[in-house]
Amino acid sequence: MAQNYFDRGEFDKAIIIYENLIKASPGNYQYFQKQVACYQQLKDFLKAENTIKNKLERSKLPQLYVELGYNYQLQNQPEKAKKNYDLAFQKIQENPNYVYGIAREFEVKVLLQQAIESYSIAQKLNPELNFDYQIALLQGQLGKIESMIDALLDYSGKFPDNLILVQNQLNRFMSEDHSKTFSDYLKKALLLRTQKSQDLFWNRFMSWYFVQQKEYGKAFIQEKAIYKRSPESFSNVLTLARLASEEKENDVAREILEFVLANTQDRQIILDMKHSLLVMDVEKASPQEYPIISQKINQLFGEYGVSNSTLKVQILKAHFDAFYLKQFESAKSILTKALELPLNPFEKGYVKMELADVLLLDEKFNQAIIYYAQVEDDLPNDEMAHQASLKMAKASYYKGDFEWAQQQFKVLKSSVSQLIANDAMQLFLLISDNTVEDSTQVALKKYARADFMIYQNKNNEALEQFKAILNQHKGESIEDETLLQIGKIYEKLGDYQQAVNYYQQIIDRFPEEIYIDEALFFSAEIYRKNLLDNEKAKSLYEKILFNHQDSIYFVEARNNFRKLRGDTNL
């Protein structure tokens, strides 16, 4: 109750309760601090002073000199305040271990320079004590960013076991660094240490920095230098390849995988690298390249056989047969035979998920839903189960069972995975909006059918269907979603000018609807990567930064805007 009064600023009520609490528990330091704070808020500084002096006389706690000095400071009596702060410093000189309570008290009172002095005195007196980390963060709070960065880097060099602690702090500052000055100085400081020292510690730190900036090519340069001098493991290099692949930096990912392939004799690693390279080949393959890809997959089977170790290759072949060659029976056969292998629950989950995807592609909706449900049941609370739940809901949506799909999307829009939650939210709103306006769901059924054609990779047929929806349902709520899908299909087909034309219609006509940030971001990406109009891209990114801070594309838009503006150049 006292805390509640205190938080609401009703200090006259809070102090009555705290005084009673102190009588019952005279040794409770938290009650004492609140009692003093109430007196100070009520401008009763004499009571606060007497309370502190009585506590000091009884307990001899050295941090009470900070409390007393601060009480004088609140009364604008700097000389008396300094006298008590000096007494606190004197106590640290008598016993350096007093620094913990005294420095903390200075920090709580936001007396940061005095906190730094406390730590510095203790370190000089007892070299076994190290407060470089605490001093560095205090320098940052004082706005001395360069001093903070240098101190944190030096601390991490001295105590490499605390590297993650330091990197977490640096990452927090980088995420709040809107002017990019912090990131630029950190980069410069790391480069200097990398050049001056032969210690691979700094190359690893430099690689970490480039990963945070999503500059995977530069991170790979550091990882190559590390591997050449210490060829112990590919784990960091492979992690980098995965990150680059997830961010669609496929050229960098391919370069990394080929580097690993050229520098290993390990059969399992070679298999994994060849599989990963094949996945990239499949994603960008044209029909003319299909026979070559089939041959490469079959060569892997010829070399490694069909077993648990080649499970990923079996799944890839099934996926390729179904989604690219439209050989559904072959794909089902491969996956059904894979389920006969001695697999662990996660491996079974991967196979069943792919089998469900193939059945869905073949319009075997109910069979697909059964397998998705099995994955959901077999791996409760796992990310794969959440993915299966989303796919199961989508399967119902594709076949027109909107009521059941809507119930699932309602649950999934609260998912811990932002991507799943975002997908579920969009489909939940799609069904809701287009059911309220049209209870017969005519436009929604056409839209879901066209959406399913995209899943089937029938892009031209989907394009015609979406255009028909625009003509037949002009002015209805489904129009902005349809424009977005048409833009995405044109983008996939490489007709970038048509894609931005359709995105522009959303920007011009539906600025208050939920797809505005997608239209802005997708357009900006096309102008940056494909149409090579950086000024246009910058203006679109800027609109996201100023008007759509809650967008899932905000961070990426900010990073790309800074790159176009040249902020990463030292």
Side-chain angles (χ1 to χ4, degrees):
M1 191 185 297
Q3 182 67 51
N4 185 261
Y5 282 134
F6 188 93
D7 292 341
R8 286 158 50 186
E10 297 181 38
F11 303 108
D12 53 337
K13 295 178 181 177
I15 190 60
I16 295 169
I17 304 174
Y18 279 124
E19 285 173 343
N20 289 326
L21 287 167
I22 286 287
K23 288 176 186 175
S25 304
N28 190 304
Y29 196 77
Q30 185 183 1
Y31 295 162
F32 157 76
Q33 285 183 309
K34 291 292 186 183
Q35 182 186 22
V36 170
C38 284
Y39 289 143
Q40 290 168 343
Q41 291 289 342
L42 294 167
K43 307 298 183 187
D44 197 343
F45 297 110
L46 183 58
K47 263 192 177 179
E49 180 181 340
N50 291 332
T51 302
I52 297 166
K53 284 181 175 178
N54 288 335
K55 184 80 169 175
L56 181 59
E57 190 177 336
R58 291 196 314 272
S59 67
K60 310 298 183 189
L61 289 171
Q63 62 263 39
L64 290 171
Y65 287 109
V66 179
E67 285 279 7
L68 192 54
Y70 185 67
N71 194 59
Y72 287 125
Q73 186 169 322
L74 291 174
Q75 299 172 72
N76 199 23
Q77 299 179 28
E79 290 183 6
K80 286 187 175 182
K82 184 179 183 303
K83 180 183 176 182
N84 280 278
Y85 296 155
D86 288 343
L87 285 170
F89 296 144
Q90 188 178 319
K91 288 295 179 182
I92 297 172
Q93 289 173 335
E94 292 173 12
N95 184 348
N97 288 325
Y98 285 150
V99 71
Y100 296 101
I102 291 170
R104 182 184 176 282
E105 206 63 57
F106 277 128
E107 288 187 53
V108 169
K109 303 289 189 284
V110 200
L111 299 167
L112 305 182
Q113 200 60 58
Q114 288 88 340
I116 290 172
E117 190 172 344
S118 301
Y119 286 128
S120 300
I121 292 168
Q123 280 194 160
K124 285 176 186 174
L125 291 168
N126 184 356
E128 291 185 7
L129 297 174
N130 187 286
F131 299 108
D132 290 348
Y133 179 77
Q134 289 86 341
I135 291 171
L137 295 184
L138 290 168
Q139 296 279 18
Q141 290 181 60
L142 287 168
K144 300 176 182 178
I145 297 300
E146 293 184 3
S147 298
M148 182 192 77
I149 290 172
D150 287 327
L152 283 175
L153 294 183
D154 291 343
Y155 174 77
S156 68
K158 278 187 204 173
F159 303 99
D161 287 346
N162 292 332
L163 176 62
I164 292 175
L165 178 69
V166 170
Q167 288 177 338
N168 285 341
Q169 282 295 343
L170 293 172
N171 206 16
R172 183 172 66 82
F173 277 91
M174 278 194 287
S175 66
E176 299 169 358
D177 178 30
H178 301 299
S179 65
K180 203 68 175 172
T181 53
F182 183 93
S183 297
D184 285 349
Y185 186 79
L186 175 57
K187 181 180 178 182
K188 185 186 291 184
L190 285 169
L191 281 170
L192 286 171
R193 285 163 174 76
T194 305
Q195 291 162 1
K196 286 181 180 178
S197 172
Q198 295 299 307
D199 192 342
L200 291 176
F201 174 85
W202 297 113
N203 296 90
R204 293 189 181 98
F205 212 138
M206 192 82 247
S207 175
W208 170 86
Y209 169 83
F210 285 128
V211 168
Q212 305 314 302
Q213 301 297 308
K214 298 190 176 182
E215 297 182 79
Y216 300 108
K218 292 178 181 177
F220 180 45
I221 292 170
Q222 298 298 323
E223 291 296 340
K224 271 198 291 190
I226 295 166
Y227 181 79
K228 285 175 181 176
R229 288 170 53 195
S230 180
E232 296 171 2
S233 168
F234 286 112
S235 62
N236 288 343
V237 181
L238 293 175
T239 298
L240 186 60
R242 178 179 56 77
L243 290 171
S245 181
E246 287 173 358
E247 293 293 327
K248 305 301 179 186
E249 296 283 347
N250 291 331
D251 290 341
V252 176
R254 179 176 289 278
E255 185 183 358
I256 297 170
L257 295 173
E258 288 175 345
F259 170 80
V260 174
L261 200 53
N263 287 278
T264 186
Q265 301 298 317
D266 187 297
R267 274 177 60 81
Q268 187 58 49
I269 292 178
I270 291 171
L271 173 63
D272 290 341
M273 294 306 96
K274 287 184 175 180
H275 166 264
S276 296
L277 288 166
L278 272 171
V279 169
M280 291 184 189
D281 289 340
V282 167
E283 286 178 352
K284 67 178 185 63
S286 64
Q288 292 77 17
E289 295 169 306
Y290 291 173
I292 298 170
I293 292 173
S294 286
Q295 186 180 0
K296 286 182 179 179
I297 295 173
N298 291 332
Q299 281 176 349
L300 274 186
F301 281 123
E303 188 176 350
Y304 288 88
V306 177
S307 66
N308 286 49
S309 65
T310 60
L311 184 64
K312 288 193 292 188
V313 184
Q314 295 169 54
I315 293 172
L316 176 62
K317 178 169 173 54
H319 183 83
F320 183 70
D321 284 357
F323 283 83
Y324 292 83
L325 302 181
K326 306 303 178 188
Q327 296 175 358
F328 302 124
E329 295 309 314
S330 168
K332 292 175 197 174
S333 174
I334 292 166
L335 295 168
T336 303
K337 287 177 182 175
L339 286 173
E340 296 172 3
L341 295 169
L343 306 176
N344 65 42
F346 290 96
E347 290 171 331
K348 278 186 181 178
Y350 285 120
V351 176
K352 286 182 177 180
M353 190 81 95
E354 187 64 39
L355 182 53
D357 289 348
V358 171
L359 289 164
L360 179 59
L361 184 73
D362 195 25
E363 303 192 33
K364 303 293 191 293
F365 297 104
N366 293 333
Q367 289 177 259
I369 288 170
I370 288 169
Y371 278 104
Y372 287 136
Q374 287 180 13
V375 175
E376 187 183 46
D377 291 341
D378 294 343
L379 300 168
N381 300 319
D382 186 78
E383 185 181 349
M384 200 191 310
H386 298 314
Q387 286 284 352
S389 300
L390 179 66
K391 289 185 173 187
M392 183 162 51
K394 279 187 174 181
S396 296
Y397 153 74
Y398 288 143
K399 74 168 185 168
D401 188 353
F402 300 124
E403 185 177 349
W404 192 89
Q406 180 77 323
Q407 293 172 6
Q408 300 308 303
F409 291 137
K410 185 176 182 179
V411 174
L412 289 166
K413 63 189 178 76
S414 301
S415 171
V416 291
S417 165
Q418 188 178 18
L419 289 174
I420 290 176
N422 190 59
D423 278 356
M425 174 63 81
Q426 289 195 350
L427 287 165
F428 176 83
L429 292 173
L430 172 75
I431 296 171
S432 298
D433 292 348
N434 292 286
T435 301
V436 170
E437 191 173 276
D438 177 12
S439 60
T440 59
Q441 301 171 323
V442 174
L444 184 59
K445 288 171 185 173
K446 294 176 184 176
Y447 183 96
R449 186 63 195 171
D451 209 358
F452 182 57
M453 289 176 186
I454 295 176
Y455 177 80
Q456 293 178 304
N457 207 23
K458 297 177 180 178
N459 293 311
N460 290 316
E461 294 95 323
L463 193 59
E464 293 306 312
Q465 176 81 349
F466 281 125
K467 284 183 177 180
I469 293 171
L470 280 186
N471 292 328
Q472 296 161 12
H473 300 275
K474 190 172 291 291
E476 296 182 19
S477 60
I478 206 157
E479 197 170 358
D480 57 332
E481 293 103 322
T482 306
L483 289 167
L484 185 74
Q485 290 288 20
I486 293 174
K488 287 163 75 173
I489 294 172
Y490 274 124
E491 190 174 345
K492 191 187 291 188
L493 295 172
D495 192 340
Y496 300 112
Q497 191 56 60
Q498 279 283 50
V500 294
N501 289 343
Y502 277 90
Y503 293 146
Q504 190 62 44
Q505 289 188 54
I506 298 172
I507 296 167
D508 293 339
R509 297 170 52 203
F510 302 97
E512 303 300 323
E513 298 297 330
I514 62 170
Y515 297 107
I516 181 66
D517 59 324
E518 275 98 338
L520 289 167
F521 183 77
F522 297 161
S523 297
E525 290 286 278
I526 290 173
Y527 280 115
R528 180 173 68 90
K529 295 178 181 177
N530 308 108
L531 299 181
L532 307 180
D533 187 340
N534 287 345
E535 290 306 311
K536 183 67 176 173
K538 272 168 60 179
S539 71
L540 291 163
Y541 287 134
E542 199 168 30
K543 287 178 181 176
I544 296 173
L545 302 186
F546 283 116
N547 303 321
H548 304 283
Q549 289 91 344
D550 58 344
S551 169
I552 62 169
Y553 303 104
F554 177 82
V555 173
E556 198 170 349
R558 183 180 63 192
N559 291 340
N560 291 338
F561 176 77
R562 287 172 174 173
K563 287 177 184 176
L564 291 178
R565 198 171 61 180
D567 291 359
T568 55
N569 296 328
L570 293 177

